[in-house]
Amino acid sequence: MMVELLRDRPSTTEPATTVPGDTWSADLVTRSGYAFHVRPAMPSDEMALGEFFTHVDKEDLRFRFLTAIQKVGHDQLQALVTVDHQRTENFLAIEPGTGLIIATAMLAADETLTNAEVAIAIRADFKRGGISWTLLDHVARFAVAKGIKTVESIESRDNHEAIELERERGWTASGCPGDPTVMVLRKTLDVAAT
């Protein structure tokens, strides 16, 4: 299942400085002790997010967007920063002190808020520090709070790191009907825990 991102953001009366969904901003610490801030994306993040993607390995860009991509364009960036904060959320991991975006995690749910798809990207110079694991756990907590029962990730069969990460976090892998080049990794969430 590929979940379409909502492109139209509902109108709001919140001041421009308020981050919608701000209750999901947090300071997180990886297992290795690296601390970073996470918050929902805002439309004003488009330029910084575009810069972030120039520091993601080309292979990781292909894995994230499941296509050979050289540059993340305006339409893609708009979809990542203009979310409804209900069915879709894009979390940005930010390095303290510099404000540098070091990772992003998008969650897009179906209309019933039953199932959702997650996709993560991380800067090449911040890989292997536990950021992806910690960010994935944060996204899972958000999904549980929304009542989402199942999260899944569509991964290229070549993306061994992501597949291993998700399996270590309790996700199960299966083939994707009609496309032997990708795998679907899925996790059932404990919504009763909230």
Side-chain angles (χ1 to χ4, degrees):
M1 166 184 79
M2 293 292 282
V3 178
E4 258 186 64
L5 302 179
L6 296 178
R7 292 185 187 266
D8 297 323
R9 186 170 172 214
S11 62
T12 179
T13 57
E14 295 177 273
T17 56
T18 301
V19 179
D22 199 37
T23 56
W24 287 97
S25 294
D27 294 316
L28 303 177
V29 180
T30 67
R31 292 186 316 176
S32 64
Y34 179 76
F36 64 95
H37 184 71
V38 65
R39 66 166 174 79
M42 301 179 289
S44 60
D45 292 317
E46 182 177 348
M47 192 177 338
L49 196 57
E51 171 64 18
F52 158 78
F53 279 115
T54 67
H55 298 280
V56 174
D57 288 336
K58 296 296 180 207
E59 189 75 350
D60 289 340
L61 277 179
R62 180 175 71 85
F63 292 151
R64 168 59 180 86
F65 293 97
L66 294 176
T67 185
I69 186 172
Q70 298 301 312
K71 181 181 178 192
V72 180
H74 171 71
D75 289 347
Q76 292 159 315
L77 292 169
Q78 277 286 293
L80 294 171
V81 297
T82 310
V83 295
D84 70 355
H85 304 287
Q86 295 301 314
R87 283 183 36 213
T88 59
E89 188 62 85
N90 188 28
F91 290 105
L92 303 179
I94 299 170
E95 183 180 47
T98 68
L100 189 71
I101 298 173
I102 58 176
T104 177
M106 182 76 174
L107 183 80
D110 61 15
E111 290 184 10
T112 64
L113 288 176
T114 303
N115 304 301
E117 184 180 334
V118 64
I120 294 178
I122 187 165
R123 278 180 62 118
D125 49 341
F126 282 85
K127 290 175 75 172
R128 295 173 185 77
I131 295 167
S132 294
W133 281 37
T134 306
L135 199 50
L136 189 58
D137 288 345
H138 185 73
V139 170
R141 285 190 295 273
F142 175 81
V144 166
K146 291 288 183 186
I148 295 168
K149 295 176 177 59
T150 306
V151 288
E152 63 183 30
S153 176
I154 312 296
E155 302 289 356
S156 166
R157 285 187 182 269
D158 299 336
N159 194 355
H160 303 292
E161 284 183 44
I163 293 168
E164 185 60 28
L165 164 72
E166 290 162 352
R167 282 183 167 162
E168 286 180 22
R169 306 309 284 169
W171 298 50
T172 57
S174 60
C176 183
D179 191 346
T181 66
V182 297
M183 294 184 72
V184 178
L185 286 102
R186 187 173 287 116
K187 182 170 184 166
T188 301
L189 302 174
D190 183 10
V191 293
T194 59

